[in-house]
Amino acid sequence: MFIQTESTPNPDVIKFIPGQEVLDTGTKEFRTAEDAKASPLAESLFALDGVAGLFFGNDFLTVRRSPDSDLIWAQLKPPILAAIMDFYSSGQPILREVVAKDDIVYEGELGQIVAEIKDLLDTRVRPAVAQDGGDIEFDSFDLDSGTLYLHMRGACSGCPSSSATLRQGVESLMKHYVPEVKSIEQVL
């Protein structure tokens, strides 16, 4: 098995591409060892010294290095690569269980606006940020204030350039195509 690695704009995150599907649909973020109990792979990676967070996409995963760790990536990569190879050799499922997220239901004109926002995120924004090992997910939209609330995931979460991505890239795109969007806020 050959696993590619790529740097991301976030110096504390590296993208690993195992050449096999990671998640068949959606994305999954693991911020703590407790979160990691939902996945055998996430559990084994969190057991490694210096790992502080994980993000799984369709064909990649990112690993966040603990900012408090004295370990450099050259020391962290070999055990991470070994854990990924061991997982894929085991034949285990990536997730132990799938928990459905309760989404807010938007109806009428607001429903159409939210559908446009989600379509732009899915077709224009998410593929671009996935190249850097991250994701941006819709949280909610407040029509009265025109505020769109988004979650930054994976390498995008905590990235020094994520604020610029939101303001200059995503906000400009949304305002252009969906005039009801006046501003974007990141949900932590």
Side-chain angles (χ1 to χ4, degrees):
M1 173 178 211
F2 178 72
I3 302 170
Q4 292 179 296
T5 62
E6 293 180 2
S7 60
T8 71
N10 186 340
D12 287 328
V13 177
I14 289 200
K15 181 177 178 181
F16 293 83
I17 305 165
Q20 297 183 33
E21 181 179 85
V22 178
L23 287 180
D24 60 351
T25 59
T27 60
K28 180 85 174 141
E29 186 167 37
F30 305 92
R31 293 178 180 250
T32 65
E34 184 66 27
D35 293 344
K37 290 180 180 178
S39 167
L41 175 57
E43 263 189 325
S44 65
L45 290 169
F46 258 101
L48 301 174
D49 190 31
V51 173
L54 304 168
F55 178 78
F56 293 175
N58 175 258
D59 61 352
F60 71 92
L61 62 116
T62 62
V63 177
R64 179 180 305 278
R65 175 180 58 189
S66 172
D68 301 333
S69 177
D70 292 332
L71 298 173
I72 59 172
W73 281 115
Q75 296 166 308
L76 281 170
K77 276 186 189 179
I80 291 170
L81 291 166
I84 294 169
M85 283 191 259
D86 289 346
F87 168 77
Y88 279 102
S89 298
S90 76
Q92 296 180 73
I94 191 82
L95 297 175
R96 290 193 171 97
E97 61 184 61
V98 177
V99 178
K101 179 182 166 187
D102 292 332
D103 286 332
I104 299 170
V105 176
Y106 294 94
E107 297 177 346
E109 179 187 351
L110 182 55
Q112 291 175 338
I113 294 168
V114 169
E116 282 183 63
I117 290 168
K118 287 181 175 182
D119 183 57
L120 281 170
L121 285 171
D122 288 344
T123 60
R124 298 262 186 115
V125 178
R126 295 177 82 192
V129 296
Q131 291 178 348
D132 288 333
D135 195 16
I136 297 179
E137 293 181 343
F138 175 86
D139 179 76
S140 60
F141 178 66
D142 180 358
L143 184 59
D144 293 334
S145 66
T147 305
L148 172 59
Y149 297 92
L150 300 172
H151 288 280
M152 304 292 277
R153 303 253 190 245
C156 293
S157 179
C159 176
S161 62
S162 67
S163 182
T165 298
L166 271 182
R167 297 287 172 253
Q168 296 167 5
V170 180
E171 190 171 288
S172 298
L173 178 80
M174 288 295 168
K175 285 180 176 180
H176 178 77
Y177 288 102
V178 186
E180 293 84 359
V181 173
K182 306 295 181 216
S183 66
I184 293 182
E185 295 293 328
Q186 180 178 350
V187 177
L188 300 175

